[in-house]
Amino acid sequence: MKVRADYRQALVYRYGKEFEDLADDIEKWRDASQKLRPANLLGKILVESGLYDYYQHEEPKRLENLKRLVKIFQEQDNLELHPDTALRSIIEYTALAKNLDQISQDNNQVLIITIHQSKGLEFDTVFLAGISEDEFPTYFSVRDSNLEEEKRLFYVAMTRAKKRLFISFFMKDSKNYSKSKSQFIASLPSEYLV
């Protein structure tokens, strides 16, 4: 334990100066959370951090995701609460996995979540997309012969479905490299595969 603490201290000593501006910004935003409504605070953070500008120029499609997040903050803001309390409420609403199904039902939307976020939840229909080799299981898990955790996650993903489960894979990735279906799909009983 002492070695880890010494190592962390050495890292802070070596690189700490590079993070001072970020630490100052975080402190400033924390102070602003006491005065600004959550959506305004989020907008301030996106602008001052440079994220808004970056996505506007580099990845405009992702900018829409940020705008949607600001809109969710506006919609979920309880004006009767202090700004900080309202912010905490919104974060709990959007972050807790138990609310994920409620979010999609309230907005009549398809819920897209990670396997980790789905733990403990069940849905009538589940789509597992992109279940190709080197994606699920990951390249590194295959390379390091460390598949047990990936198998467990695959099981978790499949057992989220109460009625129907759809599993898809892709034959070419975004760089046009050939892919094959995951070995996990191949391990399923053939009578369940179409």
Side-chain angles (χ1 to χ4, degrees):
M1 203 61 142
K2 174 91 168 103
V3 173
R4 288 184 184 169
D6 290 344
Y7 180 69
R8 283 193 301 270
Q9 283 180 321
L11 287 174
V12 169
Y13 179 75
R14 184 171 182 184
Y15 299 107
K17 282 255 186 244
E18 296 177 34
F19 291 94
E20 284 181 0
D21 289 343
L22 177 60
D24 291 342
D25 285 343
I26 291 171
E27 183 71 25
K28 183 176 60 176
W29 297 329
R30 187 172 58 206
D31 291 344
S33 74
Q34 301 301 312
K35 300 174 192 111
L36 295 177
R37 298 309 308 172
N40 294 336
L41 175 65
L42 180 58
K44 177 181 180 67
I45 292 169
L46 292 174
V47 170
E48 291 179 2
S49 68
L51 283 173
Y52 187 88
D53 203 38
Y54 172 81
Y55 284 114
Q56 188 174 24
H57 294 97
E58 300 297 324
E59 298 185 55
K61 288 182 181 177
R62 292 191 183 220
L63 183 61
E64 293 307 312
N65 295 338
L66 294 177
K67 289 179 180 178
R68 175 73 181 124
L69 184 60
V70 171
K71 186 174 182 189
I72 289 171
F73 272 48
Q74 285 173 328
E75 292 168 354
Q76 296 301 319
D77 188 5
N78 182 347
L79 298 175
E80 294 176 10
L81 298 176
H82 183 274
D84 181 62
T85 306
L87 176 63
R88 291 173 191 274
S89 177
I90 292 167
I91 290 171
E92 286 175 12
Y93 175 79
T94 57
L96 294 177
K98 68 181 183 178
N99 290 328
L100 291 173
D101 54 347
Q102 188 63 42
I103 292 169
S104 65
Q105 288 173 2
D106 290 349
N107 298 315
N108 195 25
Q109 297 175 338
V110 173
L111 187 61
I112 300 174
I113 58 175
T114 67
I115 294 169
H116 292 285
Q117 289 173 310
S118 75
K119 288 179 185 175
L121 298 174
E122 286 186 323
F123 304 94
D124 287 341
T125 304
V126 171
F127 291 84
L128 300 179
I131 309 298
S132 296
E133 200 66 14
D134 293 338
E135 299 293 331
F136 203 124
T138 66
Y139 166 79
F140 297 105
S141 296
V142 173
R143 182 193 71 187
D144 299 339
S145 299
N146 187 15
L147 297 177
E148 289 310 308
E149 176 64 12
E150 299 269 319
K151 282 182 192 173
R152 190 185 68 72
L153 283 173
F154 187 65
Y155 175 80
V156 166
M158 289 191 308
T159 57
R160 301 307 89 205
K162 290 193 283 188
K163 295 180 181 174
R164 294 176 303 217
L165 172 66
F166 296 87
I167 303 174
S168 67
F169 62 95
F170 50 90
M171 304 290 287
K172 299 262 185 192
D173 67 12
S174 61
K175 295 179 182 171
N176 210 28
Y177 291 118
S178 293
K179 292 284 186 176
S180 60
K181 71 180 173 184
S182 170
Q183 59 187 280
F184 296 154
I185 295 174
S187 69
L188 296 173
S190 61
E191 63 265 24
Y192 297 112
L193 302 176
V194 178

